[in-house]
Amino acid sequence: MTTATHTPAAANEYALSHLDALEAESVHIFREVAGEFERPVILFSGGKDSIVMLHLALKAFAPAAIPFSLLHVDTGHNFPEVLAYRDRAVAQHNLRLHVALVQDYIDDGRLRERPDGLRNPLQTVPLLDGIETGRFDAVFGGGRRDEEKARAKERVFSLRDEFGAWDPRRQRPELWNLYNGKHAVGEHVRVFPLSNWTELDVWQYIEREKIELPEIYFAHEREVFSRNGMWLTAGEWGGPKENEPVETRLVRYRTVGDMSCTGAVDSDAVAITDVITEIAASRLTERGATRADDKMSEAAMEDRKREGYF
Amino acid sequence: MTTELHSTDAVFGEAAATALLRFATAGSVDDGKSTLVGRLLHDSKSVLADQLEAVERVSLGRGQEAPDLALLTDGLRAEREQGITIDVAYRYFATPRRRFILADTPGHVQYTRNMVTGASTAELAVVLVDARNGVVEQTRRHAAVTALLRVPHVVLAVNKMDLVGYQEHVFAAIAEEFTAYAASLGVTDIVAVPISALAGDNVVEPSAHMDWYGGPTLLEYLETVPVGSDPSVEPARFPVQYVIRPQSEEHHDYRGYAGQLASGVLRTGDTVTVLPSGHTTTVAGIDVLGTETDIAWAPQSITVRLAEDIDISRGDLIAAGRVAEPTKDVVATVSHLHERPLKVGDKLLLKHTTRTVRALVKEISYRIDIDTLEQRPATDGLNVNDIGRVVLRTSEPLALDSYTENRRTGSFLLIDPADGTTLTAGMAGESFTTTPAQAAAADEEDWV
């Protein structure tokens, strides 16, 4: 028999730090899905939230492998560093990756390029096709309720109908830690294990767990141009236009998404501690600072979610 | 200085060790709950510039003079169009001392269901009262739901003190009446704070208008109230979620039971009983997310290895300490959540911890009038927002604790097997610790 060497001396030493409490809750959610669903999949973009999700899933099932595969909706305008990170992670953890390519849909006419060149809104159709083709019944997303006010209303287990649509009026109440995963054939459930995390929690956790991230999250020199008040990366995806001069700036990214609508922020934060200091002092939310597509209308996120976006 | 979010201490060192407090707000439409939530978020510097600009832009576009802070919290199209809040939303803010998850429960028609939802995960409830109106029907309803859901701490926020001249006697009378009522329901930890959410008195900053009040501001109390129960005095309860069997060369014989400790402390060497089978064995090892340890406590997510290779699967409960006999007969207080009524004879699914079984509604004993706590007949069954008493029969025995003793192992959901709709939230065993009806009866006996 092992002697208990870590026995807390006082009752309050049993208290968990907020990161430990959030971690325990997220792991509980991963294991509920593993226990209740036939074919779950993790949406993996190579962004920090999906990287933290993957890290939590690895811990949840250790020493066994993650009983899920990964799905990436590739807009065709992704940052090369992020795709390289994605492929490294897949190889390192011996995971199975499904990729749905927006470019394929544009090439064969199922989707049409938008006049503004934004590809984030085009992700919905390949995503829903990918879910249908893979017959996935639970789809993990890295969405957090602090990101956006429509997301603040979303459940941890969010039922989607056969069209992948979200109906805020039909949401199931969620009580205690009892998650209801029942769904009809053709329906699926979006699961958000990071629902209760904030951007700062995610960064503090990345620091604590020493999680590696794609380099674009840290300050680096990059050729950018200004559009709608944001620094976009110049590249083959369609920027800059003639009246948009390119300059080299020291920048980093707060979110990672399609190049056409993800802006960089001026920053000299080269390490995680610098990033945390910068975020804590920022007067802008990460989406307000760096996402063009959320600014299109007051209910942009809600409308896209109703169509099946994650 | 308790309100500065961006100090270096918050960023390095201390922040990582801060605790998490989950709390819920309850207030009816005109009590100023939106203003209070807006004030807490705003004054704790949790509203960022782009969010505030968006609110200002929309408010101006509608011809309003001042930014409407309710727009920060009303997230959906239908809510903005109708100017109402239709659902529970979760808000996040932090101070250097603590991280907060606020279940913002709307006070509209569906309030019982919404408040039950918000209160189910809350360790503290803020009950808002308008100082001009005092304790009203709504207040008693909020106190009753708080007591029923066993929320450990209650704050009575007496709002709009600016409209009653900041008078001490107004506050004292309301606090006394509320405390007496809540105590009769078994709520013991009650703190009353006189505030003005609109003017900012005693929410984040101490009031300059109420020298007579010597207690903490609302935020100060939220930052310092003891969080979490003491796991060392609770029996260990560990619902098995998932069996981990790597079947790899390195971990060929590994067989671990994964789950989240619902209560108590578990140590290597502890004698445990597996329910419902009743098999007894000892804990051979504990892994906390891949790292071996010899002690774990609620609410950690862990993996447990047992000394004997016995048949255990998802839905079983590994328990130490006092263990109740698993039962197929469930007597519970329920809160009905859905427009589809609950009726005697309904065949449903019951989800308790990680186990889902079939259940039959054998009896609906009565409906509780949540305003008066009187028992009323429920011949039509239970309708949406009704709270009542039911008797269920399940297809398999459940290792249920009484909800008054364990919020995790005493709670369950009733689910419609046809389409998976969550219909009802259930709490096993006695509903209130003491009820006014019983207390009154006892008094009468003494009198006679």
Side-chain angles (χ1 to χ4, degrees), chain B residues 97-328:
Chain B
R97 289 202 225 173
R98 205 162 259 187
R99 259 273 274 121
F100 300 95
I101 300 177
L102 159 59
D104 184 7
T105 69
H108 263 270
V109 197
Q110 293 136 328
Y111 44 70
T112 305
R113 155 176 97 171
N114 288 328
M115 200 189 152
V116 166
T117 303
S120 71
T121 52
E123 284 195 68
L124 179 146
V126 178
V127 175
L128 214 60
V129 169
D130 185 328
R132 294 169 301 176
N133 305 329
V135 175
V136 294
E137 201 172 287
Q138 288 271 54
T139 320
R140 285 194 293 276
R141 188 180 293 238
H142 297 320
V145 173
T146 305
L148 197 63
L149 270 290
R150 309 286 302 168
V151 180
H153 310 281
V154 175
V155 177
L156 173 73
V158 181
N159 191 25
K160 305 194 183 180
M161 285 300 294
D162 52 323
L163 299 182
V164 295
Y166 296 108
Q167 292 180 81
E168 182 178 10
H169 73 91
V170 177
F171 167 75
I174 296 170
E176 191 181 343
E177 185 182 351
F178 180 85
T179 305
Y181 182 75
S184 76
L185 299 169
V187 180
T188 49
D189 187 11
I190 306 162
V191 165
V193 186
I195 66 169
S196 166
L198 194 68
D201 294 284
N202 287 338
V203 178
V204 172
E205 301 296 334
S207 172
H209 300 105
M210 292 178 274
D211 297 341
W212 47 263
Y213 175 71
T217 65
L218 178 61
L219 184 67
E220 201 179 333
Y221 184 66
L222 294 174
E223 283 184 311
T224 53
V225 62
V227 169
S229 47
D230 179 0
S232 66
V233 301
E234 303 164 339
R237 294 289 185 266
F238 183 70
V240 176
Q241 272 190 292
Y242 191 79
V243 182
I244 293 179
R245 295 190 62 193
Q247 291 171 316
S248 62
E249 240 167 72
E250 192 189 347
H251 302 282
H252 190 77
D253 295 322
Y254 189 97
R255 188 185 175 86
Y257 304 101
Q260 185 174 23
L261 260 167
S263 64
V265 178
L266 214 52
R267 288 181 174 82
T268 306
D270 278 357
T271 300
V272 290
T273 306
V274 181
L275 298 171
S277 73
H279 206 106
T280 298
T281 183
T282 54
V283 175
I286 300 170
D287 299 320
V288 180
L289 307 181
T291 308
E292 200 169 342
T293 178
D294 44 24
I295 179 169
W297 57 91
Q300 286 184 307
S301 276
I302 61 173
T303 307
V304 172
R305 285 170 283 122
L306 297 177
E308 284 167 85
D309 212 0
I310 46 181
D311 179 24
I312 300 176
S313 56
R314 174 172 168 83
D316 287 340
L317 184 82
I318 296 173
R322 308 180 301 273
V323 173
E325 186 74 22
T327 179
K328 290 183 175 184

Side-chain angles (χ1 to χ4, degrees), chain A residues 3 5 14 18 24-25 28 31-32 36 153 155 172 176 179-180 196 201 280 283 285 288 298 302-303, chain B residues 6 15 18 22 49-50 77-80 87 92 99 120 241 259 294 297 301-302 314 351 403 420 422:
Chain A
T3 359
T5 47
Y14 286 108
H18 80 279
E25 179 182 73
H28 172 81
R31 290 165 168 179
E32 277 300 280
E36 296 256 305
K153 297 264 168 175
R155 302 292 179 259
R172 293 167 176 167
W176 300 290
Y179 302 105
N180 177 359
N196 286 326
D201 297 329
R283 299 294 303 136
T285 62
E298 200 192 340
E302 180 185 350
D303 292 346
Chain B
H6 307 311
T18 52
R22 292 167 199 257
D50 56 322
R77 256 184 202 286
E79 294 177 320
R80 285 191 296 274
D87 212 334
Y92 304 85
R99 259 273 274 121
S120 71
Q241 272 190 292
D294 44 24
W297 57 91
S301 276
I302 61 173
R314 174 172 168 83
K351 181 165 186 178
Y403 185 79
T422 299

